[in-house]
Amino acid sequence: MSGVKSRVWEHFEKVTDNPKKVLCKLCKQIFSYHSSTTNMNYHLKHAHPLYVDRATPSTSTSSSQPPLKLSQTTLVLKPPLSDKRKRDITDKIADFVALDMRPVNIVEGEGFKQMMKFIEPGYTTKVLEVSHTAANIAERLGEVMEEFGIPPEKRVALVHDNAANMVLCAQQLSQNPSWGNVQGIRCAGHTLQLCINAAVKLDPICRVIAAARRLVGHFKKSAKATSALTLKQKQQNVAEHKLIQDVSTRWNSTYSMLERLLEQRCPVTAVLSEPGTTHRSDRDLDLTTGARRIAEDIVSVLRPMITLTELLSQDVNASLSATLPMLVNMKRRHLLSRDDDSTTVKAVKKKITEEIDKRWELTGSLEGSIYIQAAVLDPRFKSLSFLDAEKRDDAYATVSDLAESLSPAEEATAQREDSSGAEESEPAPKRQREKQQDISMLMAFDEDQETEDHKKEMKTYLEDRTKTKRRAFDILNAIRRLQEEKKIVLIEMDHHWRALQTRGDGLKELSCLLS
């Protein structure tokens, strides 16, 4: 090969059976290769920074200058991390994110990267070093599933944002047999924010918002005007709050900007009307009476929407089961157009309703939706009062079928675990399978009876009318409490059993205890 060859090849080699893949000699990771060394240079820079050669690229043997040698400091570097060490670090980072309830993107923070670079320079938090297409993301997610040993039947949902590549990725995975019946779930808070954004882009709403931005911008840029505003707030006994500038990347900021301007209407007007504080050319920045009315309409419609956005964005509670019930109630009780609504209010309500229906596909079939399945299994919403009778029955039947399918899935998982263990110790797993077959034969399991049992269980669950305080009810805490209560009961049962065994009259008293 003639000409210049990048020094990056000193640390990479092409995979023998796949010329479109390259192997990092330092950490043994494999990457895509499309005649460019960009991915490899990026990997060296972030995963093995001490191996990066900052000299000019070496030349072939026909070059007039000899190739440059690696510096002495590079030759005495410690060996790269073993695969086991990297897996252990990754597991600990995953534990840290889960146990401390940290966002997953914390690993993308500069502070986290610097800390890991200091602690273990040879370790990378995994990055997607190829184009972020739907196919590449789907391939990488499949690799992650395999690395963590998550079987297809346990791949239930893929939570993602509303980016086109992620939406397409979820669609592709849902059609992949190796992903079971996985469903794509868009971030509820982000999706609802997009519905709100679509509504505030309507005319004349967008013009009122633009005028509000200019007004707030005037106070943000002028220290004199800001000081005068604080003085007027004190004189008029108005809350001493700063004006809020909306930012496109911050949810609900447009609502917050309008709400704050309406709150500070009198002090703002007073400052703008002072000749010594405001130039004559800036006095027309104040909102007109018509603009204020539109702003009031926008705030009145969006206020419950903002509350819903916050509820659906909580990271300390389960929101999947509450999503559709809340959205449907919002449509029926708040977004329903009324005769006394202004033209602005009607337009905003109509646009938000259309966006909700489109983004959550509420006009189609819902009984197979994972949102509905989650609602059925949540005691707060199991009655599915937001659906008609036919759709409710279909949803209950779907969940019953899922419950019936759990047994085969668990058996398949057990078989895989048995087969994976066979490599280490063949006799024990084989005997376990044989024992399970013997038990099945002796118990003479009746599949039809199992189906009836699932139906009875569902009926009993739905007939339970235990009252719950819906607003204060935290489903995750409720599950934790039940788990703790179960542990206490088991401990007490164990103590009773030991005591009964000691006294010798165990069978009789145990029968009374269990009854």
Side-chain angles (χ1 to χ4, degrees):
M1 181 177 180
S2 61
V4 177
K5 184 177 181 181
S6 173
R7 275 199 173 282
V8 75
W9 288 107
E10 294 182 1
H11 307 297
F12 283 86
E13 62 183 6
K14 290 185 178 180
V15 177
T16 305
D17 56 351
N18 190 344
K20 293 187 178 181
K21 299 285 186 180
V22 290
L23 173 70
C24 175
K25 299 177 183 178
L26 300 173
C27 63
K28 306 305 180 185
Q29 290 192 48
I30 296 179
F31 304 93
S32 297
Y33 172 66
H34 303 286
S35 72
S36 172
T37 59
T38 302
N39 287 343
M40 293 180 278
N41 278 314
Y42 183 90
H43 175 69
L44 278 182
K45 178 180 177 182
H46 291 81
H48 315 291
L50 297 179
Y51 283 85
V52 175
D53 184 9
R54 295 177 175 82
T56 56
S58 64
T59 59
S60 66
T61 55
S62 61
S63 175
S64 58
Q65 295 182 356
L68 296 173
K69 301 294 183 181
L70 289 176
S71 63
Q72 183 64 26
T73 55
T74 301
L75 298 177
V76 298
L77 292 173
K78 63 180 182 180
L81 295 180
S82 66
D83 290 341
K84 181 181 184 304
R85 173 66 174 164
K86 286 188 289 187
R87 287 195 301 268
D88 290 343
I89 294 176
T90 301
D91 289 343
K92 293 303 179 184
I93 293 176
D95 290 343
F96 155 67
V97 171
L99 295 175
D100 289 355
M101 295 292 289
R102 302 301 182 191
V104 176
N105 66 354
I106 193 173
V107 300
E108 299 176 2
E110 188 59 32
F112 183 89
K113 291 179 180 178
Q114 290 181 8
M115 177 187 70
M116 291 304 301
K117 185 176 180 180
F118 176 79
I119 296 175
E120 195 61 81
Y123 174 78
T124 303
T125 300
K126 191 66 176 179
V127 294
L128 188 63
E129 297 174 333
V130 294
S131 178
H132 292 189
T133 63
N136 287 338
I137 296 174
E139 180 182 359
R140 178 59 192 139
L141 288 175
E143 293 173 357
V144 172
M145 294 298 104
E146 295 300 326
E147 290 173 7
F148 281 86
I150 302 177
E153 63 270 11
K154 292 188 177 180
R155 303 175 188 180
V156 179
L158 173 64
V159 182
H160 56 84
D161 58 18
N162 287 270
N165 59 340
M166 290 306 306
V167 174
L168 181 58
C169 172
Q171 293 173 353
Q172 292 178 356
L173 292 178
S174 66
Q175 299 170 3
N176 188 333
S178 65
W179 277 78
N181 296 318
V182 68
Q183 294 188 31
I185 300 178
R186 306 187 189 200
C187 170
H190 182 231
T191 304
L192 191 59
Q193 189 63 38
L194 292 179
C195 297
I196 295 173
N197 292 347
V200 298
K201 290 179 181 178
L202 297 173
D203 193 45
I205 298 172
C206 60
R207 288 189 278 115
V208 171
I209 293 174
R213 288 193 188 112
R214 290 193 296 269
L215 175 55
V216 174
H218 167 73
F219 282 86
K220 292 293 183 181
K221 292 184 293 184
S222 172
K224 187 176 182 179
T226 300
S227 299
L229 179 62
T230 301
L231 178 61
K232 294 297 182 183
Q233 289 171 337
K234 293 178 179 178
Q235 294 174 348
Q236 299 179 11
N237 196 27
V238 176
E240 296 181 30
H241 293 157
K242 294 182 178 180
L243 299 184
I244 298 174
Q245 182 74 69
D246 69 334
V247 181
S248 59
T249 56
R250 194 172 79 231
W251 296 0
N252 307 329
S253 60
T254 298
Y255 166 85
S256 300
M257 177 182 69
L258 296 178
E259 183 186 43
R260 183 60 53 81
L261 271 179
L262 293 174
E263 176 197 80
Q264 300 293 327
R265 177 183 59 183
C266 293
V268 166
T269 300
V271 172
L272 292 175
S273 61
E274 282 190 345
T277 304
T278 307
H279 293 294
R280 181 176 299 178
S281 59
D282 293 329
R283 292 177 189 174
D284 61 351
L285 288 173
D286 200 5
L287 297 180
T288 64
T289 302
R292 284 201 189 96
R293 288 175 180 170
I294 292 177
E296 290 171 350
D297 287 341
I298 298 171
V299 168
S300 67
V301 176
L302 294 188
R303 183 175 290 113
M305 304 294 297
I306 301 307
T307 302
L308 180 56
T309 302
E310 294 171 350
L311 288 173
L312 294 179
S313 303
Q314 290 179 347
D315 59 358
V316 296
N317 194 14
S319 60
L320 182 63
S321 60
T323 301
L324 287 195
M326 287 182 174
L327 287 174
V328 173
N329 286 332
M330 179 67 69
K331 287 176 54 181
R332 290 178 177 176
R333 300 181 181 182
H334 178 65
L335 296 178
L336 190 64
S337 181
R338 295 177 173 81
D339 293 337
D340 58 346
D341 286 343
S342 68
T343 302
T344 301
V345 169
K346 288 180 180 179
V348 173
K349 287 182 175 180
K350 182 175 182 292
K351 185 61 176 178
I352 293 179
T353 300
E354 291 174 352
E355 291 292 320
I356 289 175
D357 288 342
K358 179 182 69 174
R359 294 181 183 277
W360 272 281
E361 301 177 350
L362 298 186
T363 57
S365 176
L366 292 176
E367 58 274 10
S369 167
I370 194 170
Y371 292 97
I372 297 297
Q373 296 167 16
V376 171
L377 298 176
D378 190 325
R380 299 170 295 177
F381 311 112
K382 64 182 181 182
S383 63
L384 301 183
S385 58
F386 55 92
L387 295 180
D388 57 43
E390 182 179 357
K391 289 184 177 180
R392 275 199 300 271
D393 292 340
D394 290 340
Y396 294 149
T398 299
V399 174
S400 295
D401 292 341
L402 286 174
E404 184 179 353
S405 67
L406 287 179
S407 297
E410 291 172 353
E411 182 179 349
T413 301
Q415 290 177 353
R416 276 198 301 274
E417 292 174 351
D418 290 344
S419 61
S420 63
E423 297 177 0
E424 301 176 359
S425 178
E426 176 63 25
K430 181 179 180 181
R431 178 55 191 147
Q432 290 174 2
R433 292 195 297 272
E434 293 173 348
K435 185 177 181 180
Q436 185 62 43
Q437 293 171 357
D438 292 341
I439 293 175
S440 299
M441 180 271 294
L442 293 171
M443 296 297 292
F445 292 136
D446 189 332
E447 293 183 359
D448 294 335
Q449 181 60 44
E450 284 188 349
T451 301
E452 291 301 319
D453 290 343
H454 289 304
K455 292 180 180 178
K456 290 179 181 178
E457 184 179 0
M458 174 61 73
K459 183 178 179 181
T460 302
Y461 167 69
L462 295 175
E463 289 177 348
D464 182 6
R465 291 294 183 264
T466 303
K467 299 296 182 181
T468 58
K469 296 180 180 179
R470 293 193 176 189
R471 279 177 290 184
F473 187 71
D474 187 331
I475 192 66
L476 294 184
N477 283 334
I479 293 174
R480 295 187 189 104
R481 287 197 302 270
L482 288 174
Q483 290 174 334
E484 291 301 321
E485 291 172 2
K486 182 178 179 181
K487 291 179 183 178
I488 294 173
V489 170
L490 291 175
I491 292 173
E492 291 179 349
M493 289 290 291
D494 182 67
H495 289 167
H496 281 298
W497 174 245
R498 293 177 185 275
L500 293 173
Q501 282 183 319
T502 303
R503 290 202 299 268
D505 54 347
L507 289 177
K508 181 179 178 180
E509 295 192 28
L510 180 61
S511 176
C512 296
L513 179 65
L514 293 177
S515 63

